[in-house]
Amino acid sequence: MIHFLILWLHVGDAFTVPYTLQSQSMNRHQLPSSRSSLSAKSICMFDENDFAGKQGDWPYMDSDLNRLDNSDDSVFYNSPRFVTHIDDGAISSLTEFYKEEFTSINKETLDVLDLCSSWISHLPEGVTYGKVVGLGMNEGELAANKQLNDFVVQDLNDNPIMSQFEDNSFDVICNVVSVDYLTKPLEIFQEMHRILRPGGISLMSFSNRCFPTKAIAMWLQADEIGRLTIVGSYYHYSAEWSFIEALDIKEMQPVPERPSAGDVMKNPSLGLAWMNAASAVAKNNQGDPMFVVKGVK
């Protein structure tokens, strides 16, 4: 219990407002309506006043980034897992969000790096891609990913330096439900900043699922607002990002209007159709949440 308290106090020192309390203060930087026509909902923008230290003043200790299982990650990821780690609703929301973000970039072709990639990257169709590179742990999964035209097998927790990529190489860097496993986020976010082109975007997405033995300690101790703030702090402390924003990208479907009793009496099939539709909407809306912390170079 004493160790837990010490870790909690230290992590809180990274933020001007402790992240367990930020849910009460996030509206200080909430965007008014810039995304009202899009599916993603802005939770807040981060600025330097949200953090106790300046860029370069890395606040985290080894204990914050410790894991229950510190064994070699290459052993854990040795066997391919051809599964999805979020539900269909979250995947659909992520792909739609990508489409909105990618089409907003005024370029004929996009060069994309998918960090911690696997057998699927959730990239949208209808976008003209240049190079699409996956960097991940399992060669079998990466080789099966039809959206990639190149891939690199690399354990970022062992070697966070991506020297194979030149400065200003990519327009977009994606990372799907893996930021919670990174034990060297400072070096990784510095590298992301280096290899992004000016104006390029980094999209770090996560839900509420994880392998708890491989997730870092402070992630397991934080709620969803806390986790958004942790990722926001990675951007802030690592490099000079021009823009950092936290987003809720889960698409919530409207509940269909219930038919009147009179309509059901006239046509009983309306009642069954409504129950089926309402059940499908409830399943989607109660499914996995989906969040993104976006950084712009």
Side-chain angles (χ1 to χ4, degrees):
M1 189 65 174
I2 294 175
H3 171 74
F4 173 83
L5 181 58
I6 291 173
L7 176 61
W8 183 262
L9 289 174
H10 172 72
V11 174
D13 287 343
F15 316 113
T16 303
V17 180
Y19 63 66
T20 53
L21 301 179
Q22 292 233 352
S23 58
Q24 302 171 21
S25 59
M26 278 293 190
N27 59 2
R28 292 180 305 117
H29 308 298
Q30 192 160 359
L31 296 179
S33 58
S34 61
R35 287 186 170 270
S36 59
S37 62
L38 302 180
S39 60
K41 298 173 286 294
S42 181
I43 297 173
C44 74
M45 290 176 57
F46 291 105
D47 62 37
E48 60 183 12
N49 296 320
D50 291 313
F51 305 98
K54 297 179 180 179
Q55 179 212 323
D57 297 335
W58 186 247
Y60 299 119
M61 299 171 60
D62 289 344
S63 56
D64 300 325
L65 302 168
N66 193 29
R67 301 177 296 174
L68 293 172
D69 178 7
N70 283 315
S71 63
D72 191 339
D73 288 336
S74 63
V75 176
F76 185 82
Y77 294 103
N78 183 54
S79 299
R81 294 180 175 91
F82 295 107
V83 298
T84 53
H85 299 287
I86 47 178
D87 65 21
D88 291 344
I91 290 172
S92 175
S93 296
L94 180 62
T95 301
E96 182 61 26
F97 174 74
Y98 280 170
K99 184 176 182 179
E100 292 171 352
E101 288 291 326
F102 293 0
T103 55
S104 70
I105 299 173
N106 188 25
K107 291 197 66 175
E108 291 186 3
T109 62
L110 291 181
D111 294 325
V112 179
L113 173 62
D114 186 22
L115 283 185
C116 305
S117 187
S118 181
W119 67 284
I120 187 170
S121 294
H122 312 301
L123 302 179
E125 298 179 355
V127 176
T128 304
Y129 298 103
K131 59 185 176 183
V132 181
V133 183
L135 187 152
M137 292 283 293
N138 188 278
E139 184 173 2
E141 293 178 4
L142 294 168
N145 191 331
K146 292 180 170 48
Q147 295 187 299
L148 305 179
N149 50 42
D150 195 9
F151 66 82
V152 178
V153 178
Q154 182 173 332
D155 179 359
L156 291 173
N157 286 341
D158 178 57
N159 175 22
I161 306 303
M162 293 173 267
S163 57
Q164 62 271 58
F165 305 128
E166 297 181 356
D167 295 359
N168 309 317
S169 295
F170 294 97
D171 303 298
V172 179
I173 295 178
C174 304
N175 178 278
V176 182
V177 297
S178 296
V179 66
D180 44 330
Y181 305 128
L182 302 179
T183 60
K184 297 179 180 178
L186 172 60
E187 295 89 342
I188 293 167
F189 275 67
Q190 287 173 335
E191 282 290 277
M192 288 161 48
H193 189 272
R194 178 184 68 80
I195 63 181
L196 271 176
R197 295 182 177 122
I201 60 174
S202 165
L203 304 172
M204 310 296 284
S205 63
F206 66 88
S207 185
N208 59 359
R209 301 193 197 188
C210 68
F211 296 116
T213 59
K214 284 297 185 180
I216 59 171
M218 63 179 174
W219 191 271
L220 296 178
Q221 296 163 7
D223 60 12
E224 289 169 342
I225 292 297
R227 291 169 178 175
L228 288 165
T229 311
I230 287 170
V231 181
S233 76
Y234 289 169
Y235 285 109
H236 168 75
Y237 288 113
S238 65
E240 191 171 344
W241 298 85
S242 65
F243 181 86
I244 307 169
E245 182 180 14
L247 299 143
D248 177 354
I249 67 167
K250 178 64 179 287
E251 291 184 281
M252 303 296 285
Q253 299 177 0
V255 178
E257 184 178 354
R258 183 196 297 262
S260 68
D263 289 338
V264 172
M265 290 291 290
K266 294 176 185 176
N267 185 358
S269 64
L270 288 177
L272 180 60
W274 176 83
M275 287 190 292
N276 289 335
S279 176
V281 168
K283 181 179 180 181
N284 174 80
N285 293 350
Q286 294 170 9
D288 294 340
M290 205 65 199
F291 301 99
V292 169
V293 184
K294 172 184 176 180
V296 180
K297 180 173 176 179

